[in-house]
Amino acid sequence: MSALYWTFGLSWGVYLLFYLLGGRWNPAPEEANPETALLLTAFGFLYMWIPGLVALYFARKEGVRLPLALRPNRFWLFAWLFPVALTLLSLPLSLPFAPWRGFPALYEGIPPEDLALLPQGFFRLLPLILLLTGLLAGATVNLVAALGEELMWRGYLWERLRDRGFWPASLEIGFYWGLWHAPLVLSGHNYPHEPLLGVPMMVLFTLLLTPALLYVREKGGSLLATALLHGTLNAVAGLSLLLVERTHDLLIGVVGLPGLFLLALFNLWLRRRV
């Protein structure tokens, strides 16, 4: 399929250029600064939108419909809250593999003099504040970024593979989507201490997450609903890594073994409905 060749070629080519010019997706701590963070944010947005631009081109060329209607229904609410449930449930499932760090871990790195200026009640509300911030980001800026990916994977590619059936198409889309992440994962994305094993782990994760996204795509009637789920997950999943010790990248958090287990359970439930 030409669209896939263009997506992989352009995405991986842009990442190679970024790397050769000195860019690093997972920079060393001494390189962390506002300028580096801004550069990574801009590059991440570009990388996520390459599939979207390819999808828009081929969809227009081939007459493929990409639904983008802003008509929320109850499945949009499911898309918004599903990542929160996945994140919170992954925490107790991570505890057999990693000790609990607790809520103080959320404000590590803040200078003591700044902490002293904050009201005491702020620390009790901080987890809720972070979740609400993640929900807000997921419905705004993260939605726009995630839409780039969704236009291809749950948009153009789903329309081309729809005739194969929900589950066969989910497997194929999930595999391509996970493999597309390979340059980022090899550079430390999500699995900084296990970059090689992180690639097949990411493929497993995307294989298991794709049915939920396709379900929302169909029931929500719009790619904006899938972008809402995707963007919110990107915003809140990090909490599952902050509150426990990062003992092993593959065994903790949403993108580790707990997340895979929860998504597998969800797919067993979904299998009875689709």
Side-chain angles (χ1 to χ4, degrees):
M1 195 180 295
S2 297
L4 283 175
Y5 294 138
W6 278 101
T7 296
F8 279 90
L10 288 173
S11 298
W12 290 4
V14 165
Y15 186 84
L16 178 61
L17 180 62
F18 172 75
Y19 185 86
L20 293 176
L21 292 175
R24 297 295 181 270
W25 185 251
N26 191 38
E30 61 272 15
E31 297 175 349
N33 54 61
E35 291 77 14
T36 301
L38 182 61
L39 175 64
L40 289 177
T41 300
F43 175 77
F45 191 90
L46 170 64
Y47 195 86
M48 294 176 77
W49 261 91
I50 289 174
L53 295 174
V54 173
L56 290 171
Y57 171 78
F58 278 92
R60 181 175 182 181
K61 180 181 176 182
E62 299 170 10
V64 174
R65 177 177 171 270
L66 301 177
L68 291 168
L70 185 59
R71 294 172 185 164
N73 58 27
R74 61 193 176 95
F75 291 97
W76 288 52
L77 182 62
F78 167 81
W80 203 26
L81 298 181
F82 180 76
V84 176
L86 193 63
T87 298
L88 295 179
L89 290 173
S90 72
L91 285 169
L93 293 177
S94 297
L95 293 180
F97 311 106
W100 177 254
R101 296 181 67 200
F103 297 125
L106 298 176
Y107 44 86
E108 282 183 359
I110 301 178
E113 58 273 19
D114 292 341
L115 289 175
L117 298 175
L118 297 172
Q120 191 62 37
F122 172 82
F123 301 108
R124 291 193 294 271
L125 293 175
L126 185 57
L128 178 60
I129 292 171
L130 291 175
L131 281 176
L132 292 176
T133 302
L135 285 169
L136 177 62
T140 53
V141 61
N142 278 29
L143 184 151
V144 174
L147 182 61
E149 291 187 50
E150 295 307 316
L151 285 167
M152 171 57 74
W153 310 118
R154 263 64 61 177
Y156 174 84
L157 197 55
W158 165 238
E159 294 298 335
R160 292 301 302 260
L161 299 176
R162 180 190 290 271
D163 290 343
R164 301 186 188 182
F166 183 90
W167 292 100
S170 289
L171 288 173
E172 192 167 348
I173 293 169
F175 175 77
Y176 294 138
W177 183 34
L179 192 61
W180 171 82
H181 285 86
L184 303 181
V185 176
L186 289 171
S187 297
H189 178 58
N190 284 341
Y191 312 98
H193 304 297
E194 295 288 348
L196 291 177
L197 290 176
V199 174
M201 191 70 169
M202 174 58 76
V203 171
L204 282 174
F205 178 73
T206 54
L207 282 170
L208 289 167
L209 181 59
T210 294
L213 288 162
L214 278 183
Y215 180 66
V216 167
R217 154 74 175 81
E218 290 298 285
K219 295 296 186 178
S222 174
L223 290 170
L224 293 175
T226 66
L228 177 62
L229 192 159
H230 188 166
T232 304
L233 183 62
N234 286 349
V236 303
L239 284 174
S240 66
L241 300 175
L242 287 175
L243 295 174
V244 296
E245 290 288 344
R246 195 157 189 164
T247 52
H248 199 292
D249 290 341
L250 306 183
L251 297 180
I252 64 170
V254 171
V255 294
L257 190 61
L260 298 188
F261 175 74
L262 291 169
L263 287 171
L265 289 180
F266 175 79
N267 285 326
L268 288 175
W269 172 82
L270 188 61
R271 186 71 180 86
R272 299 169 64 91
R273 301 178 64 88
V274 178

